[in-house]
Amino acid sequence: MSATMSGSGSSPCRFAHYFVICGIDNETGLEPDALAALYQWLEADRQGREPEAVAAGENFDQSPLKRTFKSKVLAHYPKNIQCNAFDQDAVNMLCMPKGLSFRTQRDSHTPQFHSFLITREDGSRTYGFVHTFYEEVTSPQICSAMQTLHQMHQAEHNESAHNCPSSSSSSSSSSSSMDSLASSLGEVESPSSTSSSQGGHTSCGCSGEGYDSVRDTLYVSKAMCLITPMPFMHACKGFLSQVHRAVISHQPPPLPLESYIYNILYEVPLPPPGRSLKFHGVYEPILSQRPGVGELPLADFPLSEAFQLLGVENLVQIFTCVLLEMQILLYSQDYQRLMVVAEGITTLLFPFQWQHVYVPILPASLLHFLDAPVPYLMGLQSKEGTDRSKLELPQEANLCFVDIDNQCIELPEEFPQFPNKTEFIQELSEVLLSFGLSPEGGNTSPEPAVSMQTSTLEKELKSTSLSELVDDRRNGNLGGEALDMLELLQGNPTLERLQALAKRTGVKVARLEALAAGEEGVGGRSPAEEEELRNAKLNVQLREVFAARFATMFADYESFVIQNSPDLESWLTNREQMHNFDKASFLSDQPEPYLPFLSHFIESQMFATFIDNKIMSQWEEKEPILRVFDGRIEKARLYNVRAPSLRSSVYQKCTFLKESAQAIEQRLRKIDHTAIHPHLLDMKIGQGKYQQGFFPKLQADVLASGPTNNKWSNRICSTQRRVDCHRQQNDHLVLDNDLKEKYVQEARNLGKKLRQPKLSDLSPAVIAQTNWKFVEGLLKECKMKTKRMLVEKMGREAVELGHGEANITGLEENTLIASLCDLLERIWSHGLQVKQGKSALWSHLLHYQVREEKNEQLSESPVSNGQEKRKPESSVGLPALRVSLIQDMRHIQNMGEIKTDVGRARAWIRLSLEKKLLSQHLKQLLSNQALTKKLYKRYAFLRCEEEKEQFLFHLLSLNAVDYFCFTSVFTTIMIPYRAVIIPIKKLSNAMTTSNPWLCVSGELGDSGILQITKNVLEMTFDSAFRPHTHISIAFKCQNLGKLTTVQLGHDNSGLLAKWLVDCVMVRNEITGHTYKFPCGRWLGKGVDDGSLERVLIGEFVVPCSDDDGGRGSKTPPLQRSPSQIRRISITSLTGRGNKPTTVQIQESTGEAVNNIIKHFHKPEKERGSLTVLLCGEGGLVWALEQFFHHGFRSARIFQKNVFVWDFYEKAVAFVENADQIGDLQETPEPLGLNCESFCRYVNAINNMPRNIGKDGKFQLLVCLGARDRLLPQWLPLLAECPVITRMYEENALLRDKLTVSSLIAVLETLHDFPITLESSLTKSIEL
């Protein structure tokens, strides 16, 4: 216990926490890797057999030299430290991810280096650096066991040789996708075993040369590992390679290995921020440096290697996928390549941090973790020669697959590009070229092997001066002998030990320090040190380019952070219900090209965590990363790099490149600190004797604990104690520390259940528990996503209900729906038994479709098992629309524009959501339990009944709002429509001998003129069995979007040329959306206003709620048009006593103008139809019609109606006559111009070939006047025209100068906005 405490006292400040040795345990012998047993268990579980009954047999088909065996941690020092508990299972698994590997003298024994990391539950990381080498097996028992295994393999091979080709090549079609993945990821074959397989029965995959204990020498892999709190990759790699050189050297090292390991564990501190440190390996000094407080965080993995492996463009694409929190799978034969790419990409995320599962090296026994239905960044080792097409992954709908060795990536669909991608790649390429590297990258050869040639080692030893070990007197070490003595010492281990003993006892020998200093000064820096400096400068410059991009994009992010909590406790308590960032305002302030990427990115967990940290910095010390980023933005503001109000997408290059490179160079050229030198320890004599090629058994007692009198450890620990004391004093003022930590972790872990799989226990029970956490996480994510979609869509209602400010834009809505599609894909991928195609959801739908169509054929009925329902008739005349999951699938399958399964699945989700049938369809899909059981494993989300019901209920809540996510996205597809013209109910009024026509217009276009066959009357009966007649027409055209207007008319031919139309109904036959276009007017000469054509304004018809799909989900209308059943002329209302008051008319005019102004203040993509605001019920035309009818003398002369248009025509006639006589010559010029424009517009409308009637002409004049900003100029002309006295009463509003002036002021407010008119309104007009 004392050893543990002393070993951990200064552990937070130490360079390395543990030194570990992994390899074969001679006492337990050969044990098969747990992988085979695990997969047998999973396979039994899949097939429904009892997993416990499965016999854990061995696979004798494979040569024992190619099998993997269980490795163990043979030793680790110290035993444990408080701040970083030693996880033996995890370290063993990551040091040797595929277990022990055996070789013979014929195989390559090249040492390999790789690194790994362990992410703890709080998100903190520990790094491991591993040097794997091969050591001769000396245990007779191990050699004998290997010989026996080889003989059993030979016997098995000979017995099955005759049927080998058929059995080995066939694979069961029902095999699990995870099983096939496992089979494709075997041990990497060595070159010799691959080449030797040509002899013998190569079709069996059997090596021609096996293992013979008499003839062959057996070697087994062993690993040395350093575990450190920070990623000092170069330093650790250098130290471990020097230790290995000492092990394989002909001569023993200057000091026992314990001295060097003790030194790095207990006597080498972490470099202070902004400083460099030199410490000593076995033969050479090692440098490390740490960035300062205002610099980018430490990142020691070589970015140059990542860029050369993948190329700039590929790496930027992968980087974008990581930012958007997709699933990223790295694939390579080399563990270190996996780690370099993973760490490189996460390093470039600054100031953001990856918040989800992060396993750069996925051990073979954790392959089932690829089934995780969450964002992840994982690395998978490939087998040499494995074809990518044979690698079956559980889910690929949202997967970015990165084949590092072949410089190839596969991107997800619907992938937004990084802002200014082209210029960004260009800047990165310039940095790489300045260091002599190609931006395209290249398939660089694997890392050069550690030299095994003892002759070159001898030369290195000869040239290495031990004077480099004693270059700093201040650290307590003593001077050595003269330089000529050093060569003697190199060849004499006894003298070397005496030399070290002399140092400890305080004996000084003169002159060597001066000589050593002189030699170092003359020699300068070694090529290796120069290379390290070059890599460090390249690293920091590449990172600066990425950091500068974020500093530009988020320069003003603080302005949009919502900080409305008085203290930390209330913020943490209400975190989940609060809006912390004004997303809509932020997006509206960004350049248009940035929006597709930014709208997705600000929904990510890493961005949410970044904003949370910003808010918490009010009450806590600011996180270092946030402090650096805010400092960058502040510096950019000082240099005026970007004006905060400027919406510009102009690319701005990084300005910090030179400055950052100079800081690194200064630290590495001038060493700030030198650590204590390795020295002899108080060891037992005779133990750990040197034997070339074998790692010695270290003396555990001297490595178990460190010194207690280190000045640096005491100093740093006392500082740590002061910080802890200060923190404890503050904690009781704000919040109980435990409760606060709990809240902070909950706030930061929202939406992410697991950062990394637990490596220490891989029992079936633990796997089941992991999957259960995934199920819970998916359900929670579904709840949060649906709630967010509802709150954002409901807008003001949501605010009134206390959900905070919600102002959704079309971009945000599209992002949220894409996020829902991604969630559904992940749910359908979880626990998948058989993978077919990239989309698990579409695959399930296809299976369901095949079964249902087979049932239809058997029953010879178009409807079976309640598959199709008829939607209640939304109106008289339209036939009921069939509601069917299969029918919706067929609609999607008929869309030639969609080429992939993932695209079809997303289109189907959007269509179901728009039809308010998503929950109902998915419930129907999952009701076929036999199919679900066949497709999914027992632990899958879709087989958890309670969670599945809650999931469907959350989706059902989306029926409360209207989505047009299918109509607005698939704008180019052909859609079938049905239009029904419903006459007034009297049969005589329904008949017409003329030739009617129809033109339907929407936000995306119009249908063109559709001729209707005359007198094609259909008769239907309503629920009370009353007959109704109507004319129906079906047509197909390109998607019109939301429908806005219908032009209806006829050619006035025949005897019965008058037609009284009630309304027109138009329905989209795919989405079921129905629009009603009220009319209530005559079409015909000599009746009503004499119109042969009318432009009708549409209103969205609210569908009746289904019993199943929409209970309690009735939706308010999207955009209400005229509330009256028929559009009745105000002329006819004047005789019925329904005259509006003066106040009502003025209010309605003000409201109509106000609605148009509000329309233009919305984001462009959210404005909807301006035609409704101009011509619909309560629109500008309707309001001005009321104004002009007030006090209008509409007395019938010989039973003929008088219209406002008649007043306009008389005013024009008066003006033109007065102009001919010359009365207008003395009028002011502006009034004369107004007269000219008014006459021109009225005459142009009268001369149109269209016969739109007098009310239609009035409507068109108002629309044109509003568009061309002429209405306020025409009003004084009309008010002062002498004709007014004959046609208006004295109390008319048009004759009240004050009212006219106020109306002019209201209409002038429209001049600031560009009013555009639909072509259906302005067709055939020539001005």
Side-chain angles (χ1 to χ4, degrees):
M1 188 67 190
S2 61
T4 302
M5 291 307 294
S6 62
S8 62
S10 59
S11 55
C13 326
R14 293 193 333 223
F15 182 88
H17 285 174
Y18 294 100
F19 181 83
V20 186
I21 297 292
C22 294
I24 190 166
D25 187 346
N26 288 331
E27 293 180 6
T28 57
L30 291 180
E31 294 181 72
D33 200 27
L35 177 63
L38 179 68
Y39 273 101
Q40 283 184 347
W41 186 89
L42 288 172
E43 176 65 13
D45 177 54
R46 186 184 68 75
Q47 294 174 355
R49 293 183 282 127
E50 284 298 318
E52 292 77 11
V54 177
E58 280 206 57
N59 174 20
F60 294 113
D61 290 339
Q62 198 174 30
S63 167
L65 289 175
K66 293 182 185 177
R67 277 180 242 166
T68 55
F69 296 89
K70 192 172 183 181
S71 64
K72 288 192 176 177
V73 173
L74 303 179
H76 69 278
Y77 311 101
K79 287 294 179 189
N80 206 25
I81 57 175
Q82 281 181 331
C83 67
N84 182 12
F86 187 75
D87 188 338
Q88 184 158 311
D89 292 316
V91 170
N92 178 42
M93 194 178 291
L94 291 166
C95 279
M96 308 190 90
K98 290 191 299 182
L100 295 172
S101 176
F102 284 90
R103 297 279 185 271
T104 66
Q105 75 281 0
R106 296 184 301 276
D107 302 317
S108 168
H109 300 162
T110 307
Q112 297 290 333
F113 173 82
H114 79 270
S115 41
F116 65 83
L117 63 82
I118 298 174
T119 309
R120 289 190 286 269
E121 288 183 5
D122 63 354
S124 60
R125 293 174 176 177
T126 298
Y127 292 84
F129 301 95
V130 186
H131 184 98
T132 307
F133 58 98
Y134 284 88
E135 194 174 79
E136 186 181 337
V137 178
T138 55
S139 166
Q141 291 87 351
I142 302 289
C143 294
S144 174
M146 184 60 72
Q147 175 77 47
T148 304
L149 286 172
H150 182 70
Q151 289 168 353
M152 294 171 75
H153 162 68
Q154 280 295 120
E156 182 80 15
H157 165 61
N158 293 334
E159 185 181 335
S160 60
H162 63 280
N163 60 2
C164 174
S166 60
S167 61
S168 64
S169 61
S170 63
S171 61
S172 169
S173 61
S174 64
S175 66
S176 161
S177 59
M178 288 310 307
D179 296 334
S180 61
L181 173 61
S183 67
S184 67
L185 297 171
E187 179 72 34
V188 178
E189 296 177 11
S190 64
S192 65
S193 62
T194 307
S195 61
S196 65
S197 66
Q198 293 170 359
H201 301 278
T202 53
S203 60
C204 287
C206 175
S207 174
E209 294 182 48
Y211 169 68
D212 185 334
S213 58
V214 178
R215 181 189 64 198
D216 296 323
T217 306
L218 190 65
Y219 295 86
V220 67
S221 55
K222 182 174 271 191
M224 295 183 292
C225 173
L226 270 180
I227 293 178
T228 65
M230 300 186 79
F232 293 107
M233 191 205 80
H234 286 99
C236 292
K237 182 178 179 181
F239 178 83
L240 292 172
S241 68
Q242 288 189 46
V243 171
H244 183 235
R245 279 165 56 189
V247 169
I248 62 175
S249 168
H250 288 302
Q251 298 175 349
L255 296 172
L257 289 185
E258 285 89 344
S259 295
Y260 303 103
I261 294 166
Y262 181 91
N263 179 252
I264 199 168
L265 285 178
Y266 300 114
E267 296 175 331
V268 178
L270 284 173
R275 299 297 182 92
S276 55
L277 170 78
K278 178 156 77 173
F279 65 94
H280 302 279
V282 182
Y283 301 112
E284 297 156 7
I286 297 168
L287 302 182
S288 64
Q289 60 87 26
R290 191 171 166 190
V293 177
E295 297 177 61
L296 296 175
L298 175 67
D300 206 27
F301 288 86
L303 284 174
S304 59
E305 188 179 338
F307 276 91
Q308 288 303 104
L309 285 167
L310 293 165
V312 178
E313 184 161 4
N314 281 347
L315 200 131
V316 169
Q317 296 285 62
I318 300 163
F319 175 72
T320 310
C321 287
V322 173
L323 286 170
L324 300 177
E325 296 186 337
M326 296 172 174
Q327 293 176 322
I328 293 92
L329 182 63
L330 309 176
Y331 193 61
S332 172
Q333 292 182 50
D334 187 84
Y335 289 131
Q336 185 60 8
R337 285 183 176 184
L338 296 173
M339 192 71 185
V340 163
V341 173
E343 276 295 288
I345 289 172
T346 52
T347 295
L348 297 173
L349 293 175
F350 171 89
F352 308 102
Q353 294 170 291
W354 180 255
Q355 300 292 320
H356 300 278
V357 175
Y358 181 61
V359 192
I361 297 174
L362 187 68
S365 50
L366 280 181
L367 290 180
H368 66 279
F369 218 78
L370 290 171
D371 202 16
V374 293
Y376 60 67
L377 176 49
M378 298 199 214
L380 189 64
Q381 198 203 24
S382 62
K383 182 180 178 182
E384 189 175 10
T386 301
D387 186 6
R388 160 70 180 101
S389 60
K390 295 178 182 174
L391 181 66
E392 287 191 5
L393 299 166
Q395 50 188 329
E396 296 184 52
N398 203 38
L399 179 75
C400 172
F401 182 84
V402 184
D403 187 345
I404 298 173
D405 299 336
N406 295 313
Q407 202 175 349
C408 169
I409 62 172
E410 296 172 23
L411 295 170
E413 295 180 28
E414 297 184 18
F415 177 69
Q417 296 298 325
F418 193 74
N420 294 116
K421 178 185 158 191
T422 307
E423 296 92 336
F424 183 47
I425 288 174
Q426 179 62 33
E427 185 178 8
L428 291 169
S429 300
E430 288 170 9
V431 173
L432 289 169
L433 287 168
S434 69
F435 284 84
L437 297 174
S438 166
E440 286 78 26
N443 206 355
T444 56
S445 58
E447 183 186 322
V450 180
S451 173
M452 292 286 291
Q453 301 298 321
T454 52
S455 59
T456 57
L457 209 97
E458 291 293 337
K459 291 173 185 173
E460 288 174 11
L461 285 168
K462 197 83 173 168
S463 63
T464 302
S465 169
L466 284 178
S467 63
E468 288 183 33
L469 297 179
V470 287
D471 62 350
D472 187 352
R473 296 184 61 175
R474 291 170 299 170
N475 63 16
N477 288 334
L478 303 169
E481 294 295 339
L483 286 175
D484 57 343
M485 191 66 179
L486 293 175
E487 289 191 13
L488 175 65
L489 284 174
Q490 286 172 357
N492 193 323
T494 309
L495 286 177
E496 286 171 359
R497 297 191 184 199
L498 286 172
Q499 170 75 4
L501 189 63
K503 292 177 189 175
R504 291 183 62 212
T505 53
V507 178
K508 288 190 178 183
V509 183
R511 290 184 62 244
L512 188 55
E513 283 182 343
L515 288 169
E519 181 182 327
E520 194 172 81
V522 172
R525 296 172 57 82
S526 68
E529 289 172 335
E530 285 299 329
E531 183 64 21
E532 187 175 339
L533 172 60
R534 180 175 170 276
N535 283 334
K537 288 165 71 174
L538 175 57
N539 257 25
V540 77
Q541 289 197 10
L542 289 169
R543 293 174 66 204
E544 286 289 359
V545 174
F546 280 83
R549 281 283 74 221
F550 287 125
T552 303
M553 282 192 282
F554 295 98
D556 311 315
Y557 84 96
E558 277 187 83
S559 310
F560 304 98
V561 176
I562 302 169
Q563 300 185 354
N564 50 12
S565 294
D567 53 57
L568 179 61
E569 184 175 1
S570 64
W571 181 82
L572 291 170
T573 308
N574 301 308
R575 163 68 186 84
E576 206 166 333
Q577 286 76 40
M578 293 170 70
H579 286 260
N580 292 337
F581 192 73
D582 186 352
K583 295 175 182 176
S585 300
F586 174 77
L587 290 174
S588 68
D589 195 44
Q590 302 307 310
E592 187 76 21
Y594 290 13
L595 296 180
F597 169 80
L598 285 177
S599 61
H600 283 77
F601 178 65
I602 62 174
E603 296 294 334
S604 67
Q605 185 64 44
M606 70 174 80
F607 184 76
T609 305
F610 173 75
I611 297 299
D612 286 351
N613 291 339
K614 178 66 181 175
I615 292 172
M616 284 195 284
S617 67
Q618 298 175 87
W619 306 290
E620 290 185 335
E621 187 181 353
K622 193 180 279 190
E623 286 205 350
I625 288 178
L626 185 62
R627 186 170 59 242
V628 174
F629 186 65
D630 285 351
R632 292 294 167 90
I633 292 175
E634 198 58 43
K635 191 181 283 189
R637 285 198 186 120
L638 289 174
Y639 290 133
N640 269 336
V641 172
R642 178 186 180 220
S645 59
L646 188 66
R647 286 192 63 191
S648 168
S649 59
V650 176
Y651 189 80
Q652 294 161 0
K653 285 192 172 184
C654 176
T655 56
F656 299 108
L657 295 183
K658 195 173 180 183
E659 183 183 325
S660 303
Q662 283 174 346
I664 292 269
E665 185 166 8
Q666 190 175 350
R667 275 199 297 276
L668 285 177
R669 288 201 183 279
K670 183 180 179 299
I671 304 303
D672 297 303
H673 303 283
T674 302
I676 296 173
H677 295 214
H679 51 84
L680 275 176
L681 303 173
D682 187 10
M683 294 169 57
K684 296 175 185 175
I685 297 174
Q687 287 190 11
K689 186 179 177 184
Y690 173 77
Q691 187 179 359
Q692 185 191 357
F694 292 92
F695 194 88
K697 185 174 181 181
L698 302 175
Q699 293 190 24
D701 52 343
V702 297
L703 296 175
S705 60
T708 55
N709 58 349
N710 271 2
K711 292 178 183 177
W712 59 266
S713 63
N714 292 338
R715 181 169 69 250
I716 298 176
C717 288
S718 62
T719 307
Q720 187 69 31
R721 278 194 294 273
R722 283 200 303 274
V723 171
D724 291 342
C725 181
H726 177 69
R727 187 179 292 147
Q728 286 170 5
Q729 288 171 358
N730 287 339
D731 282 342
H732 77 273
L733 298 173
V734 183
L735 191 64
D736 175 72
N737 204 29
D738 292 338
L739 183 64
K740 172 183 164 185
E741 188 62 30
K742 172 176 171 284
Y743 276 136
V744 168
Q745 287 308 320
E746 282 181 1
R748 289 179 177 171
N749 291 334
L750 277 175
K752 54 180 190 294
K753 294 295 286 183
L754 284 177
R755 289 178 183 270
Q756 175 167 332
K758 189 170 175 60
L759 305 179
S760 44
D761 185 4
L762 288 174
S763 64
V766 169
I767 293 173
Q769 181 63 29
T770 303
N771 279 301
W772 180 247
K773 286 184 179 179
F774 285 144
V775 169
E776 288 181 325
L778 287 169
L779 186 61
K780 184 176 181 181
E781 192 178 348
C782 179
K783 178 184 176 183
M784 290 174 67
K785 273 190 167 53
T786 51
K787 179 182 175 183
R788 172 84 196 283
M789 289 172 73
L790 281 172
V791 167
E792 296 285 18
K793 191 70 175 170
M794 289 167 72
R796 190 177 300 163
E797 289 179 50
V799 177
E800 289 169 2
L801 293 170
H803 292 291
E805 187 62 36
N807 181 18
I808 194 165
T809 66
L811 199 68
E812 271 191 283
E813 179 179 312
N814 202 37
T815 303
L816 291 173
I817 290 167
S819 177
L820 178 68
C821 293
D822 169 44
L823 173 65
L824 292 179
E825 280 291 0
R826 285 190 279 121
I827 286 174
W828 255 258
S829 298
H830 183 238
L832 190 61
Q833 195 87 263
V834 182
K835 182 177 177 299
Q836 295 179 357
K838 286 196 171 184
S839 169
L841 174 58
W842 190 251
S843 175
H844 194 169
L845 285 166
L846 290 174
H847 277 98
Y848 179 82
Q849 185 181 26
V850 169
R851 289 199 172 202
E852 290 300 315
E853 287 174 348
K854 199 175 285 182
N855 289 341
E856 281 182 26
Q857 291 170 3
L858 290 173
S859 61
E860 296 181 351
S861 164
V863 182
S864 64
N865 299 330
Q867 175 194 333
E868 296 182 354
K869 298 180 180 179
R870 291 191 173 271
K871 214 169 185 178
E873 293 190 17
S874 53
S875 66
V876 174
L878 280 172
L881 192 66
R882 290 190 304 178
V883 176
S884 160
L885 185 157
I886 302 294
Q887 188 64 37
D888 285 348
M889 281 188 69
R890 287 172 184 154
H891 285 313
I892 303 302
Q893 287 164 329
N894 291 333
M895 290 167 61
E897 295 84 352
I898 305 175
K899 309 292 183 188
T900 64
D901 286 353
V902 174
R904 292 184 188 99
R906 296 192 173 206
W908 183 85
I909 292 168
R910 286 175 178 275
L911 178 59
S912 302
L913 189 60
E914 186 163 322
K915 295 176 77 168
K916 300 181 189 269
L917 293 172
L918 183 58
S919 179
Q920 181 182 327
H921 278 350
L922 293 178
K923 185 177 182 180
Q924 186 179 332
L925 177 66
L926 297 172
S927 64
N928 191 328
Q929 293 187 356
L931 178 61
T932 309
K933 282 183 179 178
K934 179 186 172 186
L935 296 178
Y936 290 92
K937 298 173 186 173
R938 237 178 347 196
Y939 61 77
F941 181 94
L942 298 177
R943 290 186 64 183
C944 300
E945 290 302 320
E946 190 176 330
E947 284 70 26
K948 183 175 72 178
E949 286 300 317
Q950 291 182 52
F951 158 70
L952 293 171
F953 182 77
H954 290 315
L955 291 182
L956 182 64
S957 66
L958 295 176
N959 289 6
V961 289
D962 293 305
Y963 283 103
F964 287 84
C965 50
F966 179 85
T967 305
S968 60
V969 168
F970 300 101
T971 55
T972 60
I973 62 171
M974 299 298 288
I975 288 185
Y977 291 91
R978 177 173 290 277
V980 174
I981 303 163
I982 302 173
I984 298 296
K985 291 177 184 176
K986 295 177 184 177
L987 190 61
S988 59
N989 297 331
M991 297 179 67
T992 177
T993 56
S994 57
N995 298 300
W997 58 268
L998 188 76
C999 179
V1000 182
S1001 299
E1003 292 178 352
L1004 302 176
D1006 64 62
S1007 64
I1009 300 292
L1010 302 167
Q1011 296 293 340
I1012 304 169
T1013 310
K1014 56 185 174 183
N1015 289 331
V1016 182
L1017 287 183
E1018 294 182 8
M1019 186 170 288
T1020 56
F1021 295 87
D1022 60 17
S1023 55
F1025 294 99
R1026 290 175 297 212
H1028 299 275
T1029 56
H1030 56 265
I1031 296 174
S1032 179
I1033 176 174
F1035 61 97
K1036 198 170 187 179
C1037 65
Q1038 190 168 304
N1039 186 1
L1040 301 175
K1042 296 176 188 174
L1043 303 187
T1044 52
T1045 62
V1046 159
Q1047 296 169 66
L1048 178 67
H1050 63 80
D1051 63 358
N1052 201 41
S1053 62
L1055 295 173
L1056 296 171
K1058 298 172 185 176
W1059 197 16
L1060 182 56
V1061 177
D1062 182 25
C1063 66
V1064 178
M1065 308 292 298
V1066 183
R1067 183 173 68 199
N1068 181 321
E1069 296 289 88
I1070 291 182
T1071 65
H1073 285 160
T1074 306
Y1075 295 82
K1076 183 176 183 180
F1077 299 85
C1079 180
R1081 304 283 294 271
W1082 284 94
L1083 281 89
K1085 288 278 187 183
V1087 64
D1088 205 334
D1089 65 345
S1091 173
L1092 294 179
E1093 173 190 337
R1094 295 202 183 276
V1095 178
L1096 310 178
I1097 310 302
E1099 62 180 32
F1100 181 66
V1101 177
V1102 182
C1104 301
S1105 58
D1106 259 24
D1107 293 341
D1108 197 22
R1111 54 179 186 271
S1113 305
K1114 202 164 185 177
T1115 318
L1118 180 75
Q1119 49 180 40
R1120 297 297 295 192
S1121 253
S1123 56
Q1124 296 165 250
I1125 296 174
R1126 305 178 197 130
R1127 177 78 190 273
I1128 299 171
S1129 169
I1130 292 190
T1131 312
S1132 57
L1133 280 176
T1134 52
R1136 299 185 182 181
N1138 290 341
K1139 295 178 182 177
T1141 64
T1142 306
V1143 175
Q1144 287 173 335
I1145 292 170
Q1146 289 176 314
E1147 284 178 354
S1148 63
T1149 309
E1151 191 174 345
V1153 172
N1154 197 29
N1155 286 337
I1156 294 171
I1157 293 171
K1158 283 181 184 175
H1159 167 88
F1160 284 103
H1161 276 98
K1162 290 179 184 176
E1164 193 171 345
K1165 292 177 182 176
E1166 289 306 301
R1167 290 176 181 173
S1169 172
L1170 184 60
T1171 306
V1172 173
L1173 300 178
L1174 289 171
C1175 307
E1177 185 76 16
L1180 183 64
V1181 172
W1182 183 82
L1184 289 178
E1185 202 171 16
Q1186 284 186 323
F1187 177 85
F1188 279 105
H1189 272 285
H1190 187 266
F1192 186 63
R1193 293 173 178 166
S1194 56
R1196 302 188 179 195
I1197 304 168
F1198 306 112
Q1199 300 295 310
K1200 187 177 180 182
N1201 281 340
V1202 181
F1203 293 85
V1204 172
W1205 189 254
D1206 295 322
F1207 166 60
Y1208 286 179
E1209 287 180 329
K1210 288 182 180 179
V1212 168
F1214 173 81
V1215 168
E1216 289 176 343
N1217 286 335
D1219 189 28
Q1220 288 171 7
I1221 297 168
D1223 290 354
L1224 290 179
Q1225 287 176 357
E1226 296 180 7
T1227 57
E1229 187 177 346
L1231 193 59
L1233 288 173
N1234 295 341
C1235 291
E1236 188 274 330
S1237 67
F1238 181 72
C1239 294
R1240 185 160 54 86
Y1241 275 69
V1242 171
N1243 289 331
I1245 291 171
N1246 275 331
N1247 294 331
M1248 279 170 59
R1250 295 168 63 189
N1251 196 326
I1252 56 175
K1254 293 180 178 178
D1255 280 349
K1257 290 175 180 179
F1258 171 81
Q1259 174 175 284
L1260 179 55
L1261 183 70
V1262 171
C1263 291
L1264 291 171
R1267 183 191 71 181
D1268 299 337
R1269 301 179 174 88
L1270 294 170
L1271 286 179
Q1273 299 170 20
W1274 291 344
L1275 273 174
L1277 174 69
L1278 293 169
E1280 294 168 15
C1281 181
V1283 179
I1284 198 171
T1285 55
R1286 300 200 302 272
M1287 302 196 73
Y1288 278 88
E1289 296 169 2
E1290 232 175 283
N1291 63 343
L1293 288 175
L1294 191 57
R1295 296 181 68 175
D1296 182 350
K1297 288 188 178 179
L1298 195 61
T1299 307
V1300 170
S1301 298
S1302 110
L1303 178 59
I1304 289 170
V1306 169
L1307 291 174
E1308 280 176 344
T1309 59
L1310 295 177
H1311 289 184
D1312 297 332
F1313 307 103
I1315 292 175
T1316 54
L1317 303 178
E1318 275 190 36
S1319 60
S1320 60
L1321 295 173
T1322 60
K1323 198 181 289 182
S1324 303
I1325 183 82
E1326 290 183 12
L1327 290 169

